[in-house]
C-alpha cells in the first residue's frame, strides 16, 4: 500500500491526538501542584525544543512584516486557553471530559473567523455551532453552585484555543512559519507565566518533576505532529480525526486513573463528535 499525503496527514493527526491525551494524563499524575506551575513547564519545555529546531534550520528567526500583533494575539488567547484547560484537567472527574470540552475549539473558531478573517458562516455552520454547545451542556452539567466551575473552565479553554487557532490561521494566510508561531507562543507565554510561577511555586518531588517534564515533551510532540499533519493534508480532510484524543484520553484515564465517564458526559460526546463528523462531511461535500 502506497501512503498518500492524506494518509500521512491522518497518521500525524492521530499521533497529535495521542500526545495531547498523554499530556492530559501526565498533568493529573503530577499531583496537587498549582495550575500555573504545570502550565509553565508545559510551555518552557516546548520553547527549548522549538528553539533547537529553528537553530538547526536555515531560515533563522525572521518574523513576517506586520505579524507581531497577530503572534501576540495568538499567545494571549493561547496561554489563557492552556490555563483554563489545565485547571479543568486537574478538577474534572475525567480527563476525557476536559479533552472533549477543549475540542469545542473548531466551533469557536467559526465565530472568531467572522472578525479576524472576515469569513461569514452559513446557516449550516451556525447550526453545527449551536448543536455542539448544546452537547457541551451534558458534559458541563450546569448547577447552581460551584460544582460545574471546572467544566466551565474547560469550555473557556476551548474558546481560548479556538481564538488561538484563528490567529494561527490568519498567520498562515500571511505566510508565517509554523515553527516561528510555536516558538513565539511558547517563549512569550513562559515569560508571562514566570512571575506567577515564582510567586506561587510549590516544591516538587522528583517524580512530580518528571511528570511535568513529560507533560512538556508530550505537548511538544503533539504540537509538531499537528503542524506536520496540516502540512501534508488540508484541515477539511483530516480534522475530524483529531477527536480521537477523547477516545485516547478515556482509555488512558481508565487504565491509569480508574476514571469512568458518566452517561450524561457520554451523551455529550456523541452529540459533539457526531456534529463534528457531520461538519467534516459537509465541508468536503461542499468543496
Amino acid at each position: 500500500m502506497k501512503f498518500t499525503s492524506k494518509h500521512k496527514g491522518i497518521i500525524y493527526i492521530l499521533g497529535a491526538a495521542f500526545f495531547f491525551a498523554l499530556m492530559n494524563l501526565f498533568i493529573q499524575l503530577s499531583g496537587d501542584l498549582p495550575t500555573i506551575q504545570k502550565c509553565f513547564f508545559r510551555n518552557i519545555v516546548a520553547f527549548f525544543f522549538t528553539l533547537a529546531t529553528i537553530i538547526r534550520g536555515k531560515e533563522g528567526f525572521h518574523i513576517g512584516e506586520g505579524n507581531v500583533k497577530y503572534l501576540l494575539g495568538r499567545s494571549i488567547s493561547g496561554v489563557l486557553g492552556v490555563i483554563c484547560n489545565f485547571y479543568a484537567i486537574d478538577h474534572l472527574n475525567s480527563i476525557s471530559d476536559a479533552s472533549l470540552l477543549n475540542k469545542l475549539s473548531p466551533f469557536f473558531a467559526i465565530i472568531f473567523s467572522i472578525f479576524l478573517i472576515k469569513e461569514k458562516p452559513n446557516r449550516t455552520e451556525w447550526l453545527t455551532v449551536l448543536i455542539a454547545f448544546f452537547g457541551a451542556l451534558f458534559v458541563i452539567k450546569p448547577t447552581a453552585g460551584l460544582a460545574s466551575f471546572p467544566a466551565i473552565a474547560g469550555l473557556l479553554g476551548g474558546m481560548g484555543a479556538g481564538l488561538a487557532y484563528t490567529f494561527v490561521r490568519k498567520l498562515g494566510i500571511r505566510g508565517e512559519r509554523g515553527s516561528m508561531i510555536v516558538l513565539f507562543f511558547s517563549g512569550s507565554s513562559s515569560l508571562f507565566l514566570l512571575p506567577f510561577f515564582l510567586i506561587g511555586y510549590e516544591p516538587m518531588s522528583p517524580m512530580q518533576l518528571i511528570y511535568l517534564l513529560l507533560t512538556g515533551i508530550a505537548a511538544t510532540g503533539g504540537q509538531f505532529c499537528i503542524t506536520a499533519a496540516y502540512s501534508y493534508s488540508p484541515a477539511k480532510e483530516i480534522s475530524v480525526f483529531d477527536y480521537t484524543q477523547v477516545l485516547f484520553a478515556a482509555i488512558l484515564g481508565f487504565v491509569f486513573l480508574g476514571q469512568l465517564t458518566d452517561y450524561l458526559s457520554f451523551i455529550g460526546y456523541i452529540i459533539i463528535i457526531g456534529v463534528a463528523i457531520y461538519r467534516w462531511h459537509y465541508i468536503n461535500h461542499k468543496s
Side-chain angles (χ1 to χ4, degrees):
M1 176 182 173
K2 183 179 180 181
F3 280 92
T4 65
S5 292
K6 182 178 179 180
H7 291 143
K8 292 177 182 177
I10 291 172
I11 290 170
Y12 272 113
I13 206 164
L14 289 173
F18 180 69
F19 274 123
F20 285 129
L22 267 182
M23 179 193 77
N24 292 356
L25 174 66
F26 292 138
I27 291 166
Q28 278 220 341
L29 288 175
S30 64
D32 190 21
L33 293 171
T35 300
I36 295 294
Q37 194 162 325
K38 296 181 180 185
C39 293
F40 178 78
F41 273 91
R42 178 248 185 266
N43 287 323
I44 199 69
V45 172
F47 171 75
F48 283 113
F49 266 98
T50 313
L51 181 65
T53 301
I54 291 179
I55 290 174
R56 287 171 58 190
K58 299 179 180 179
E59 296 181 331
F61 296 91
H62 173 72
I63 295 175
E65 186 177 351
N67 285 347
V68 171
K69 59 183 178 183
Y70 298 115
L71 286 168
L72 285 172
R74 186 265 182 271
S75 296
I76 293 169
S77 56
V79 73
L80 293 176
V82 168
I83 291 170
C84 289
N85 182 39
F86 275 34
Y87 181 87
I89 293 167
D90 270 336
H91 294 87
L92 284 174
N93 291 328
S94 80
I95 57 176
S96 56
D97 281 9
S99 297
L100 192 280
L101 290 171
N102 194 250
K103 289 306 170 189
L104 288 170
S105 54
F107 299 101
F108 280 112
I110 292 173
I111 299 171
F112 291 127
S113 293
I114 299 171
F115 308 101
L116 279 176
I117 311 179
K118 308 302 180 186
E119 290 181 344
K120 292 184 178 180
N122 58 33
R123 283 182 295 180
T124 300
E125 289 171 319
W126 275 121
L127 184 62
T128 63
V129 171
L130 292 174
I131 295 174
F133 290 160
F134 172 72
L137 293 177
F138 287 90
V139 182
I140 296 172
K141 307 174 190 66
T143 63
L146 294 175
S148 62
F149 182 75
I152 293 171
L155 181 70
L156 293 175
M159 183 171 71
L163 180 55
Y165 291 149
T166 309
F167 275 115
V168 169
R169 187 153 169 248
K170 178 75 173 180
L171 287 161
I173 293 170
R174 294 174 62 86
E176 192 58 71
R177 289 175 294 152
S179 56
M180 200 66 221
I181 296 171
V182 175
L183 181 72
F184 193 97
F185 165 63
S186 55
S188 59
S189 58
S190 295
L191 285 175
F192 171 78
L193 293 168
L194 182 60
F196 303 101
F197 165 69
L198 294 174
I199 292 169
Y201 175 80
E202 288 190 10
M204 299 174 286
S205 69
M207 203 65 228
Q208 285 179 310
L209 177 59
I210 290 171
Y211 281 134
L212 288 186
L213 291 174
L214 288 173
T215 295
I217 292 169
T220 305
Q223 199 76 54
F224 276 98
C225 277
I226 206 161
T227 301
Y230 289 126
S231 69
Y232 278 112
S233 190
K236 67 180 182 180
E237 292 185 354
I238 62 173
S239 59
V240 72
F241 295 98
D242 194 26
Y243 284 84
T244 55
Q245 180 185 333
V246 180
L247 176 61
F248 289 136
I251 294 171
L252 292 172
F254 175 72
V255 172
F256 293 98
L257 303 171
Q259 296 176 343
L260 286 173
T261 301
D262 62 52
Y263 77 96
L264 285 175
S265 290
F266 189 71
I267 292 171
Y269 292 5
I270 293 172
I271 293 172
I272 295 172
I273 295 175
V275 77
I277 292 171
Y278 172 78
R279 181 171 172 264
W280 170 71
H281 175 75
Y282 170 77
I283 291 172
N284 281 285
H285 180 72
K286 185 179 177 182
S287 299

